[in-house]
Amino acid sequence: SQKIEQNSEALNIQEGKTATLTCNYTNYSPAYLQWYRQDPGRGPVFLLLIRENEKEKRKERLKVTFDTTLKQSLFHITASQPADSATYLCALSDDKIIFGKGTRLHILP
Amino acid sequence: DAGVIQSPRHEVTEMGQEVTLRCKPISGHDYLFWYRQTMMRGLELLIYFNNNVPIDDSGMPEDRFSAKMPNASFSTLKIQPSEPRDSAVYFCASSFARGSSYYGYTFGSGTRLTVV
């Protein structure tokens, strides 16, 4: 069955450093991969989408890579700030989206 | 646009009662999705609609769950009868697909359902 794996343990990063989150998947060939941010008590918020024929996508301090051979995506936040603290969800999409369980990120001041 | 609007924000009900969750998608979006989120299972897709037509309801856990989309601006998710294991946060999301390109989903703030 399709499976998406994100690090279930929280990630603690010092302010100003680059935070890197990993998303691995199996038994799936997504056309797109997306990243969302979720704050407590709120719905997920769309951040970035990357297509299967794209290797990398950037948006401000965010960078996403997509390796369809490794079946892996990396999500980077550069110059991290305490306001970046949240849970980040990876989602694979074709005609519908399947989500990973997310990784909690804490940016320490 | 006010975004995806869900109601109620919180719902506490007794086991066996009927529960109806409501969603107003973003105007112009032609896809609508219902998700359920728990700590154990994360975000699970329950059902989705395209142009008001149910496309895939394979995620609906049991016959106790039903969803409708009578028009482009309104959808409901009904649980009858409710059980304690239905306790979760239920999200509605909508999206706009242009040809073969897909954009991210816009989620509502969710309905936190507690069945006692």
Side-chain angles (χ1 to χ4, degrees):
Chain A
S1 62
Q2 299 161 345
K3 193 173 181 181
I4 304 173
E5 290 184 350
Q6 294 187 256
N7 194 338
S8 59
E9 294 191 9
L11 182 63
N12 296 317
I13 299 294
Q14 203 66 41
E15 182 178 4
K17 301 292 186 184
T18 296
T20 299
L21 285 68
T22 304
C23 173
N24 295 296
Y25 61 93
T26 55
N27 298 325
Y28 202 88
S29 296
Y32 311 90
L33 188 144
Q34 305 186 30
W35 284 89
Y36 287 75
R37 168 183 174 142
Q38 187 173 23
D39 292 285
R42 308 293 295 272
V45 174
F46 171 71
L47 296 175
L48 279 169
L49 177 152
I50 186 167
R51 295 176 173 79
E52 59 179 340
N53 60 349
E54 298 176 316
K55 292 279 191 252
E56 181 179 299
K57 176 98 42 107
R58 292 176 184 261
K59 178 182 176 183
E60 298 173 354
R61 295 185 295 111
L62 308 180
K63 185 179 86 171
V64 172
T65 63
F66 190 13
D67 189 326
T68 55
T69 301
L70 290 178
K71 294 187 181 296
Q72 180 182 79
S73 174
L74 299 178
F75 176 80
H76 306 273
I77 305 176
T78 59
S80 59
Q81 305 166 1
D84 295 326
S85 299
T87 296
Y88 290 86
L89 304 170
C90 163
L92 305 181
S93 57
D94 199 336
D95 61 340
K96 60 187 178 185
I97 293 183
I98 300 173
F99 284 84
K101 291 185 180 179
T103 297
R104 280 179 296 124
L105 175 65
H106 298 297
I107 304 300
L108 307 173
Chain B
D1 199 323
V4 175
I5 300 173
Q6 291 187 246
S7 64
R9 193 81 169 87
H10 301 275
E11 177 79 42
V12 180
T13 190
E14 291 186 348
M15 182 173 64
Q17 295 298 306
E18 177 180 295
V19 176
T20 299
L21 310 182
R22 297 172 177 80
C23 175
K24 176 178 167 54
I26 290 176
S27 176
H29 280 189
D30 52 358
Y31 281 82
L32 183 139
F33 304 81
W34 282 101
Y35 281 87
R36 177 172 68 176
Q37 187 174 40
T38 61
M39 287 291 291
M40 286 291 292
R41 301 169 73 94
L43 265 172
E44 299 176 280
L45 177 64
L46 300 177
I47 184 171
Y48 78 97
F49 297 82
N50 179 217
N51 292 320
N52 313 337
V53 176
I55 303 300
D56 185 347
D57 66 354
S58 59
M60 297 286 259
E62 299 171 31
D63 292 344
R64 299 184 296 106
F65 286 69
S66 62
K68 293 181 180 179
M69 192 166 185
N71 57 62
S73 58
F74 184 65
S75 178
T76 59
L77 178 67
K78 186 175 294 186
I79 308 173
Q80 165 63 20
S82 58
E83 297 182 3
R85 60 193 167 123
D86 301 331
S87 297
V89 181
Y90 290 80
F91 287 105
C92 174
S94 68
S95 72
F96 176 58
R98 293 180 180 173
S100 61
S101 296
Y102 288 84
Y103 295 79
Y105 292 179
T106 302
F107 281 78
S109 296
T111 295
R112 179 174 294 277
L113 173 65
T114 303
V115 183
V116 297

